Amino acid sequence: MNLFDHAEKRKPGFKLALIGTVLAVFVLGLGAFTRLADAGLGCPDWPGCYGHMFWPDSASDVEKANQLFPDTPVEHDKTWPEMVHRYFAMTLGFISVMLVALAVKYRSPTQPLKLPIFMLGFIILQGMFGMWTVTLKLWPQIVTAHLLGGFATFSLYWLLTLRLSNQHWQLPADIFEKVSALKKWALLGLVIVAGQVALGGWTTSNYAAVACPDLPTCQNQWLPVMNFAQGFDIFQAIGPNYLGGTMENESRIAIHFSHRIGAIITTIYMVLLAFMLLRVGPHSATQRMAKILLIMLSLQVLLGLGNILLKFPLAIAVAHNLGGAFLLLVLVTLNYKLQTSRCLATSPTSH
């Protein structure tokens, strides 16, 4: 018996939430580009850039900016990514305000209200993390928190879109029982992917991506010298400029090596989860989810390998960040579909 999505009337705010989700992709991509291009301090002040609403462009503006910030002279290739990222993020905040307004206007027991309110508060907090990223000079803890906040914002927007789409799996009793048994495994998969994303964030925040430039070994060793204590010291002092990183190489190797091990664990678990989804039944919605999961996983693994083999080109590094975000979205979708699936008393006769 096939599974199918039962579509009811979409709830108010669906299109706006979908637009916000698409915009969140651009915010994530711009944030990754800004970070990986070492443009995180392209504007040493906040919320403006060298005292400008956008960024200094003319020769006179650049001269004045350099006088105001003699320790951080203007670099044109680093100012615009930072400010474009900020304005895209600000636009996402305005969309969140509109979603809250719509939720209040159409308030009902079936219209999500708590989630839009939480999202708005979370985006305000994310804006604060963006400010602290600059004012605390790329302190790794804040940079990592800001990155994870971006992934969380993307996921929350997509979750709201799913809820407003009002589509659910309608399952015959025998398949409903099999699908329900997968809930805990899907949730664990979500936790594992989120943990791997956090490891990736910590890797980039401490400039540890290039610590192991070879494959399958690291520093031409299967087990290189590593300093896990310093590599995962979350109590690093606030104060120095962390642009380029301050850790010793052994510490960065420990971070990178951990991210590789995490990638192996994530890959194995996602393959097993996809296999469990495939076993539910032929031509089912769970099979489609399994195929999407395997495609996104394969793409992400290839991007990770390409990063190392091609010596960390910026385009592939940014794509690897976005790949992690979309893999996370697949797990969010799977968990939502499993949690909201409904059991039919009788098997459907048609789709």
Side-chain angles (χ1 to χ4, degrees):
M1 184 60 61
N2 294 341
L3 304 179
F4 65 100
D5 279 329
H6 178 68
E8 300 176 3
K9 183 179 179 181
R10 288 170 176 167
K11 298 176 183 179
F14 167 77
K15 291 183 179 179
L16 187 60
L18 184 59
I19 291 171
T21 302
V22 174
L23 182 60
V25 176
F26 286 95
V27 174
L28 271 177
L30 285 167
F33 177 82
T34 301
R35 184 177 65 259
L36 294 167
D38 293 332
L41 293 179
C43 298
D45 50 336
W46 192 93
C49 186
Y50 289 94
H52 291 258
M53 185 175 179
F54 292 98
W55 57 84
D57 189 27
S58 66
S60 60
D61 286 341
V62 170
E63 183 179 356
K64 291 178 182 177
N66 289 338
Q67 290 175 356
L68 287 172
F69 299 91
D71 296 331
T72 53
V74 175
E75 297 182 63
H76 291 292
D77 59 335
K78 295 183 179 181
T79 53
W80 71 265
E82 174 68 8
M83 288 307 295
V84 171
H85 171 61
R86 291 183 190 179
Y87 278 105
F88 268 81
M90 189 182 301
T91 304
L92 195 61
F94 284 133
I95 291 179
S96 293
V97 173
M98 295 170 64
L99 284 169
V100 171
L102 283 173
V104 172
K105 179 180 179 181
Y106 295 100
R107 188 171 184 178
S108 71
T110 61
Q111 181 71 24
L113 176 61
K114 293 180 181 179
L115 181 56
I117 292 175
F118 176 80
M119 287 167 55
L120 178 58
F122 190 85
I123 286 180
I124 293 172
L125 177 62
Q126 180 70 348
M128 298 300 293
F129 277 120
M131 177 188 70
W132 293 327
T133 295
V134 175
T135 58
L136 297 181
K137 299 180 180 180
L138 304 182
W139 191 39
Q141 285 84 332
I142 291 296
V143 175
T144 303
H146 188 46
L147 181 146
L148 294 179
F151 276 74
T153 299
F154 185 33
S155 300
L156 288 170
Y157 257 97
W158 179 240
L159 177 60
L160 180 61
T161 303
L162 289 172
R163 291 186 62 183
L164 295 176
S165 70
N166 213 18
Q167 294 186 355
H168 310 280
W169 283 348
Q170 299 277 38
L171 316 176
D174 56 335
I175 294 180
F176 180 79
E177 293 179 2
K178 295 179 181 179
V179 168
S180 296
L182 295 178
K183 290 180 181 180
K184 59 183 178 181
W185 302 111
L187 182 58
L188 179 57
L190 178 62
V191 172
I192 289 174
V193 170
Q196 179 64 1
V197 167
L199 271 175
W202 190 247
T203 300
T204 58
S205 300
N206 288 282
Y207 301 86
V210 297
C212 296
D214 50 312
L215 272 174
T217 57
C218 176
Q219 297 289 337
N220 297 314
Q221 301 176 66
W222 288 105
L223 195 62
V225 178
M226 294 176 280
N227 187 340
F228 286 94
Q230 187 187 68
F232 290 92
D233 178 15
I234 62 172
F235 300 104
Q236 294 165 300
I238 301 175
N241 188 327
Y242 282 94
L243 183 63
T246 61
M247 286 187 177
E248 297 177 355
N249 199 42
E250 289 80 5
S251 303
R252 300 189 200 202
I253 292 174
I255 297 172
H256 185 113
F257 195 84
S258 298
H259 186 50
R260 283 194 186 184
I261 298 299
I264 294 172
I265 294 173
T266 302
T267 300
I268 293 173
Y269 190 86
M270 291 302 109
V271 171
L272 292 175
L273 180 59
F275 178 72
M276 287 188 281
L277 290 168
L278 289 170
R279 290 188 61 188
V280 169
H283 312 297
S284 65
T286 52
Q287 282 202 334
R288 292 196 297 271
M289 287 299 304
K291 292 174 183 177
I292 293 171
L293 176 59
L294 289 174
I295 290 171
M296 286 307 308
L297 176 66
S298 300
L299 179 61
Q300 183 66 348
V301 170
L302 289 174
L303 287 170
L305 294 174
N307 257 335
I308 299 172
L309 295 174
L310 299 177
K311 307 303 179 185
F312 307 98
L314 181 59
I316 292 182
V318 173
H320 187 53
N321 274 256
L322 290 176
F326 280 106
L327 182 58
L328 185 63
L329 238 63
V330 173
L331 270 298
V332 170
T333 305
L334 175 60
N335 276 272
Y336 174 80
K337 291 293 186 181
L338 293 177
Q339 294 295 334
T340 61
S341 61
R342 300 170 180 174
C343 182
L344 292 174
T346 58
S347 301
T349 58
S350 62
H351 292 178

